[in-house]
């Protein structure tokens, strides 16, 4: 079994030195309670829970998986999961950010980012059970009627019930316009929901007494496509307007999937057979409400990527220091030992530094995105809320796709660093590579995130979010222009930011003439954007470290890793830029028949 140690020092560095969240919390409603002492205590407890309760269940959960009793439709989670969930609820973790009126503690949303990272590093499968509750809470809070908030939001906040997100159907995945699940009105104002949803995370389990499904369905006579989709609450046990739980509803788990990874996270086929449901939000506007959930969930899945990157790094570093193989090319570094440890070899260091640069860089990027959620939700200044919202919308597809793709790369490196010992099951390394694989698929694939970034967030808004971000980078470069400690990074960062704007403008022009250019460029454009964004956060990391009271070693490690990032990862933008500029012909000109 591999050990996990929460990287509290770097988490605190990002939150307090780099982002200075204390200052932001102090001026936001609900933030007053988030003092440094309180936060330190919260993070220490989350670390303990993740290291001591969740991490030890990771390998056993993978071995055991979830089981469905076909006769009853009940799902049993792996040994220890239920007890861990009870500890999670008793610890107050489910209620951190929710409004006090619904039983929450109303702490700023960004506090959840490091906590989520720890849960996901320790046990990604377990982390999926509370994950969707958060998205469901947000949809209920923002779009639900008051009785729905009291009846459904409160028990979710209290951790007594969990939530799900039911979008996918057998024939309908990325293209939600195809969905067929029907909702027919009852005289009492409720609805009868009928249809089959597949791949539903935590659709059935034994952790809580009730499960609240948020289901996309079509009303009779709804317009075709995405404009005719409504959102419904369908609880496993019916609930009246006073919040009293009643009889079993006609929704049941028909099967559970056998998967490549996250085996302890249950993925269900859910059959709705005229199940009682309650409309949430306006008819045919379900996708708007669902987008609230999807945004929260996309940021959360990005953070799953971060959790896996960190874990891959920790496992790899420990092994590279311990395993003795070969000698350094420039002569033995540990002559007293029969061979040098792997960590002396340049190729191993390439993989370790890639993991470290991604872990710390994406931590800064994703916590920054989470701090924008605080502003969107709580800033009393309308202009600040609007800017934060535009910036966040722009960053979410980058965070989701870049962090999860990097997680796959880093898990791959973890296997490689362990050699054959990484490939066999006994050591537990391959589990991380299998678990990471889903993160680039669910909550919208990398391809779909890239289309969202380029189509909806850049072209449809004249790049408003990108403009805010480039302004921020420009202001930072200007402010640091005379800082000799940053000189080696500021020049390349300013150049990359300038080029990002130029590349976007040129691509926008080509897209106006030929829409296929968008699809052909999107994924490369997303990676290009992500790598420049990380260059900004690496430069900020060096600046924040230099200005902080961190140790000399901490500062030196940041500088070395930033140098590695600029020398060996940022140049990946050259390939992505060339691919964006190559246009769509090389992809689309060949007739389908010639594929063979
Ligand atoms: C373990 C697991 C858990 C899940 N949990 C949930 C859940 O809780 N709730 C839920 O509703 N769903 C869930 N899903 C479903 C998941 O969100 C979908 O699998 C995902 O959105 C992709 O849809 P699809 O599988 O139908 O693939 P498709 O949509 O068929 O896509 C196949 C490929 O085509 C690409 N593609 C599709 N459309 C386009 C396009 N227009 N342009 C370019 N490329 C395109 C995609 O990027 C992908 O590479 C889960 C899936 C899994 C495996």
């Amino acid at each position: 079994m591999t050990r996990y140690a929460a990287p509290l020092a770097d988490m605190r560095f990002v939150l307090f030195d780099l982002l200075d969240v204390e200052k932001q919390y102090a001026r936001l409603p609900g933030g007053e309670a988030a003092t440094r002492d309180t936060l330190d205590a919260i993070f220490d407890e989350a670390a303990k829970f993740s290291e001591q309760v969740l991490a030890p269940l990771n390998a056993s959960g993978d071995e055991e998986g979830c089981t469905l009793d076909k006769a009853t439709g009940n799902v049993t989670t792996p040994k220890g999961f239920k007890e861990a969930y009870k500890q999670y609820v008793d610890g107050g973790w489910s209620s951190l950010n929710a409004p006090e009126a619904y039983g929450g503690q109303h702490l700023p949303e960004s506090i959840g980012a490091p906590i989520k990272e720890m849960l996901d590093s320790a046990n990604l499968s377990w982390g999926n059970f509370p994950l969707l509750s958060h998205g469901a809470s947000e949809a209920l809070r923002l779009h639900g009627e008051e009785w729905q908030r009291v009846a459904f939001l409160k028990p979710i906040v209290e951790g007594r019930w969990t939530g799900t997100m039911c979008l996918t159907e057998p024939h309908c995945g990325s293209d939600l316009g195809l969905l067929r699940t029907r909702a027919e009105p009852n005289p009492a104002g409720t609805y009868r929901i009928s249809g089959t949803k597949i791949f539903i995370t935590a659709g059935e389990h034994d952790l809580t007494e009730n499960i609240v499904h948020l289901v996309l369905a079509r009303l009779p006579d709804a317009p075709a496509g995405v404009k005719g989709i409504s959102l419904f609450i369908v609880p496993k046990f019916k609930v009246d307007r006073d919040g009293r739980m009643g009889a079993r509803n006609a929704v049941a788990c028909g099967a559970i999937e056998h998967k490549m990874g996250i085996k302890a996270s249950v993925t269900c086929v859910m059959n709705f057979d005229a199940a009682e449901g309650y409309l949430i939000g306006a008819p045919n506007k379900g996708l708007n409400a669902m987008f609230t959930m999807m945004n929260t969930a996309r940021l959360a899945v990005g953070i799953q990527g971060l959790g896996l990157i960190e874990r891959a790094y920790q496992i790899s570093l420990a092994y590279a220091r311990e395993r003795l193989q070969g000698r350094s090319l420039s002569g033995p570094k540990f002559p007293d030992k029969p061979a040098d440890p792997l960590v002396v070899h340049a190729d191993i260091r390439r993989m370790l530094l890639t993991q470290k640069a991604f872990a710390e860089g994406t931590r800064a990027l994703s916590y920054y995105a989470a701090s924008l959620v605080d502003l969107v939700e709580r800033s009393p200044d309308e202009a600040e809320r609007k800017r934060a919202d535009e910036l966040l919308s722009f960053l979410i597809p980058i965070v989701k796709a870049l962090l999860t793709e990097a997680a796959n790369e880093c898990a791959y490196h973890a296997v490689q660093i362990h050699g054959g010992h990484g490939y066999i099951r006994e050591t537990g390394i391959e589990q991380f590579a299998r678990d990471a694989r889903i993160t680039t698929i669910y909550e919208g694939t990398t391809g779909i995130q890239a289309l969202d970034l380029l189509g909806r967030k850049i072209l449809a808004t004249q790049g408003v979010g990108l403009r805010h971000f480039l302004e921020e980078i420009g202001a930072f470069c200007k402010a640091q222009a005379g800082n000799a400690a940053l000189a080696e990074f500021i020049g390349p960062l300013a150049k990359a930011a300038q080029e990002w704007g130029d590349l976007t403008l040129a691509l926008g022009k080509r897209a106006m003439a030929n829409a296929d250019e968008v699809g052909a460029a999107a994924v490369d454009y997303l990676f290009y954007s992500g790598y420049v964004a990380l260059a900004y956060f690496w430069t900020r990391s060096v600046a924040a470290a230099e200005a902080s009271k961190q140790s000399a070693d901490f500062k030196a490690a940041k500088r070395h890793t930033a140098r590695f990032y600029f020398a060996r990862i940022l140049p990946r933008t050259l390939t992505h830029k060339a691919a964006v500029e190559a246009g769509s012909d090389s992809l689309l000109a060949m007739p389908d028949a010639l594929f063979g």
Side-chain angles (χ1 to χ4, degrees), residues 148-326:
Q148 294 173 335
R149 292 199 200 108
V150 174
F152 297 102
L153 176 56
K154 207 162 175 285
I156 292 179
V157 168
E158 290 166 358
R160 290 189 288 116
W161 303 353
T162 56
T164 74
M165 220 166 123
C166 298
L167 288 74
T168 307
E169 298 177 9
H171 62 286
C172 151
S174 305
D175 186 355
L176 291 173
L178 297 173
L179 80 81
R180 290 183 193 144
T181 297
R182 297 182 321 280
E184 281 154 298
N186 290 322
T190 58
Y191 292 82
R192 294 187 306 283
I193 313 292
S194 302
T196 297
K197 297 284 179 181
I198 62 164
F199 297 165
I200 304 307
T201 299
E204 178 57 53
H205 58 74
D206 57 359
L207 304 185
T208 53
E209 61 186 7
N210 204 359
I211 300 173
V212 181
H213 304 288
L214 291 198
V215 184
L216 288 183
R218 285 186 189 286
L219 290 164
D221 307 324
V226 289
K227 293 203 167 116
I229 298 174
S230 305
L231 183 62
F232 297 87
I233 306 168
V234 183
K236 174 176 167 183
F237 287 92
K238 293 182 195 172
V239 176
D240 69 17
R241 290 178 76 93
D242 297 321
R244 280 187 300 258
M245 225 166 81
R248 187 77 161 81
N249 207 351
V251 47
C253 172
I256 61 177
E257 304 295 348
H258 301 281
K259 309 191 292 288
M260 171 180 177
I262 56 163
K263 291 178 185 239
S265 163
V266 67
T267 307
C268 304
V269 174
M270 298 302 299
N271 297 319
F272 297 84
D273 191 8
E276 184 170 293
Y278 322 102
L279 180 70
I280 173 168
N284 300 327
K285 297 280 181 232
L287 222 47
N288 295 357
M290 195 49 107
F291 270 130
T292 307
M293 274 180 95
M294 287 202 286
N295 271 338
T296 314
R298 284 177 176 181
L299 185 55
V301 174
I303 291 176
Q304 291 192 334
L306 166 60
L308 288 164
I309 297 169
E310 171 63 34
R311 191 74 192 269
Y313 177 55
Q314 288 191 15
I315 303 166
S316 303
L317 181 61
Y319 192 72
R321 282 185 165 148
E322 167 200 309
R323 171 86 170 162
L324 305 179
Q325 285 299 295

Side-chain angles (χ1 to χ4, degrees), residues 119 133 186 266 282 342 344 347 415 423 517:
L119 304 185
S133 289
N186 290 322
V266 67
L342 293 176
V344 306
D347 185 50
V415 174
Y423 191 72
E517 293 290 315

Side-chain angles (χ1 to χ4, degrees), residues 112-172:
I115 296 170
K116 253 208 75 37
E117 182 197 323
M118 291 186 241
L119 304 185
D120 292 333
S121 276
N123 194 326
L124 189 71
S125 282
W126 188 92
N128 263 343
F129 287 97
L131 171 81
L132 292 166
S133 289
H134 188 64
S137 302
E138 288 302 282
L140 285 161
R141 183 171 68 80
L142 295 169
H143 305 283
E145 294 170 35
E146 185 53 20
W147 81 266
Q148 294 173 335
R149 292 199 200 108
V150 174
F152 297 102
L153 176 56
K154 207 162 175 285
I156 292 179
V157 168
E158 290 166 358
R160 290 189 288 116
W161 303 353
T162 56
T164 74
M165 220 166 123
C166 298
L167 288 74
T168 307
E169 298 177 9
H171 62 286
C172 151

Side-chain angles (χ1 to χ4, degrees), residues 321-335:
R321 282 185 165 148
E322 167 200 309
R323 171 86 170 162
L324 305 179
Q325 285 299 295
R327 287 291 185 195
S328 161
L329 292 179
S330 54
K333 296 290 179 288
F334 292 81

